[in-house]
Amino acid sequence: MSDTADQHATWRHSHVFLGEAHDSSERRTWAVIWLCGAMMVAEIVGGLAFGSIALVADGLHMSTHAGAMLLAALAYTFSRRHAEDRRFTFGTGKLGDLAGFTSAIVLAMIALLIAYEAINRFLHPVAIQFGQAIPIAAVGLAVNVASAWLLSGSGHHHHGHGHGHDHADGQDEGLRVHTALGPAVLSVFEDGVPPRFRLQWEADGAESAASVSVETERADGVRQTFGFVDRGTYIESVDEIPEPHAFTARLRVGEEPEHALVFEEHEHGHAHHHRDNNMRAALVHVMADAAVSVLVIVGLVLARLFGWLWMDPIAGIVGAVVIASWSFGLIRDTGAILLDMNPDERLADQIRLSVEACGDAVTDLHLWRLGPGHLGAIVSVATASSRGTDFYRKRLAHIASLSHLTIETMKR
């Protein structure tokens, strides 16, 4: 291979934007399909053998359940097999969102059908065979609980980060340091206010703010010194901390030797970037089915005990409202992704601040989702310096979910 070919190979980057748990989610979805398929066959065969039309009806209902899971499983399989197909400009990461959107539409239609049937039953009550209906609803609930358990095994994936930007109450976890006055915590606080350092001792007897300072040093060599003021139970830096919050902070307390603390930045409010909407749709489907099963059981038991036949259609109406609500949320979220809406305004602001902290100007910024845990961005920068695109890539390297970044520079 020639040197030019080697360079081209180095410059190429992957367009595989699948979620971290993609393979596990695919296997679990197929497992649920087999479970639902087995129950469907057992109910239809058993219903025909014992003359129970209710059992046959529930078996047919189970087939729609298996069909929804099949849609999710096929989306996983197709997106995996075609992940590197060049026909897909930005990969197949959003196929799961398309499947989730489709499932949400189906769920909305199911909610309308349940509401229509419930209202019809309310206006025109029919005799209920409690001896068959209650056990069938209980079996349906058991299958849905088992399905949810299988699916949720891939949904509780923890995304750890080195930095403490946990933002409970706007404050990161902080970095602990041992001083002559005892242990203290240096953290970044930004709960609806500009970010500033906070230093708090674990015991009484804090040092005077006048004798405390922090000097930050960034990867590009830029240094900044922060003085502190007393806030009562803690001391706080006078100046704001520019983005990004990735630097070495040298803490000086009185005449003590300095303490070097490394802060590592990551994107804020990123949880939904990692959300697998295909798995979410599958879970919503089984949870909706389970919720309806619970409501049906409650309605049937009350109707049987007290003769309240109207409880059965009321339970159906409540179930329809619950399903419609979940469906609306899924349509809203997946639709926004399919239309390439900005997934996180705060993250977009962080990108802008990270670039403009160098004195440059962001003239255009596009941010969109490519797949679970993957974002794409196009950033246009107007600069008076001779900085190249690599400089800005390094400035944004702390945002782990920026999987496809395009930088454009222009002289001003």
Side-chain angles (χ1 to χ4, degrees):
M1 182 183 290
S2 66
D3 291 341
T4 302
D6 285 335
Q7 277 190 328
H8 289 173
T10 301
W11 291 336
R12 293 192 191 101
H13 52 266
S14 172
H15 281 180
V16 178
F17 302 126
L18 305 180
E20 293 181 6
H22 186 94
D23 292 342
S24 174
S25 298
E26 182 180 352
R27 290 193 300 270
R28 290 174 183 273
T29 306
W30 281 111
V32 171
I33 290 173
W34 284 109
L35 173 63
C36 294
M39 282 302 304
M40 175 188 71
V41 172
E43 287 187 323
I44 293 175
V45 171
L48 293 174
F50 299 110
S52 172
I53 191 62
L55 201 56
V56 173
D58 196 65
L60 293 174
H61 167 73
M62 191 62 68
S63 69
T64 65
H65 187 55
M69 296 301 106
L70 183 61
L71 175 63
L74 291 176
Y76 280 126
T77 302
F78 185 90
S79 58
R80 172 177 53 81
R81 290 181 179 176
H82 295 272
E84 300 193 49
D85 190 330
R86 294 186 180 181
R87 293 176 299 172
F88 298 96
T89 305
F90 287 106
T92 56
K94 289 202 290 188
L95 188 61
D97 300 299
L98 178 59
F101 182 84
T102 305
S103 288
I105 296 294
V106 173
L107 276 171
M109 295 172 64
I110 290 173
L112 289 174
L113 289 173
I114 292 175
Y116 172 80
E117 183 64 24
I119 293 172
N120 191 48
R121 289 289 183 92
F122 188 80
L123 297 174
H124 307 286
V126 298
I128 301 174
Q129 296 182 0
F130 296 104
Q132 288 185 336
I134 294 176
I136 290 173
V139 171
L141 176 60
V143 172
N144 286 314
V145 169
S147 298
W149 178 78
L150 284 171
L151 293 173
S152 62
S154 62
H156 298 293
H157 183 77
H158 176 70
H159 299 277
H161 298 277
H163 183 43
H165 270 278
D166 197 22
H167 294 286
D169 298 326
Q171 181 170 322
D172 65 19
E173 294 173 357
L175 297 177
R176 201 162 182 263
V177 59
H178 291 275
T179 71
L181 295 175
V185 175
L186 181 67
S187 59
V188 176
F189 186 87
E190 50 181 328
D191 185 9
V193 296
R196 287 182 168 84
F197 284 114
R198 283 191 177 184
L199 182 64
Q200 186 170 16
W201 273 264
E202 295 182 1
D204 294 334
E207 189 78 10
S208 167
S211 65
V212 176
S213 68
V214 168
E215 182 186 52
T216 60
E217 181 179 3
R218 300 178 182 273
D220 56 7
V222 175
R223 295 172 180 255
Q224 183 178 358
T225 301
F226 296 82
F228 283 75
V229 293
D230 193 350
R231 300 297 189 196
T233 58
Y234 60 88
I235 60 176
E236 184 176 67
S237 64
V238 177
D239 297 323
E240 301 172 14
I241 309 171
E243 295 277 3
H245 300 161
F247 41 69
T248 297
R250 293 182 172 84
L251 171 66
R252 296 183 177 89
V253 181
E255 300 299 322
E256 295 182 30
E258 68 179 22
H259 306 273
L261 305 170
V262 178
F263 283 79
E264 297 176 357
E265 174 74 304
H266 69 82
E267 64 267 31
H268 304 294
H270 71 293
H272 57 282
H273 301 157
H274 298 268
R275 178 183 290 167
D276 183 347
N277 283 315
N278 193 25
M279 177 56 67
R280 179 186 170 197
L283 272 170
V284 166
H285 192 96
V286 298
M287 288 170 62
D289 241 10
V292 170
S293 295
V294 170
L295 290 169
V296 166
I297 291 171
V298 172
L300 289 173
V301 169
L302 291 177
R304 185 174 190 176
L305 292 176
F306 303 104
W308 298 344
L309 296 181
W310 49 267
M311 276 301 301
D312 183 50
I314 288 294
I317 292 173
V318 173
V321 171
V322 171
I323 295 174
S325 174
W326 290 346
S327 171
F328 174 77
L330 194 54
I331 290 173
R332 179 195 59 212
D333 294 344
T334 54
I337 293 170
L338 295 175
L339 291 173
D340 290 329
M341 290 182 65
N342 187 331
D344 191 335
E345 290 287 349
R346 188 175 180 185
L347 180 58
D349 290 339
Q350 183 185 347
I351 293 172
R352 187 182 300 276
L353 287 171
S354 296
V355 173
E356 294 186 341
C358 306
D360 300 321
V362 174
T363 59
D364 198 15
L365 173 60
H366 301 275
L367 183 67
W368 71 99
R369 173 170 148 145
L370 301 167
H374 299 280
L375 297 176
I378 299 175
V379 185
S380 297
V381 184
T383 178
S385 69
S386 58
R387 296 168 181 149
T389 57
D390 286 344
F391 172 83
Y392 301 104
R393 289 185 183 280
K394 289 178 182 178
R395 294 285 298 177
L396 300 174
H398 61 281
I399 305 178
S401 59
L402 275 184
S403 303
H404 195 288
L405 177 62
T406 301
I407 304 288
E408 301 173 340
T409 60
M410 61 190 77
K411 289 293 183 179
R412 65 173 181 179

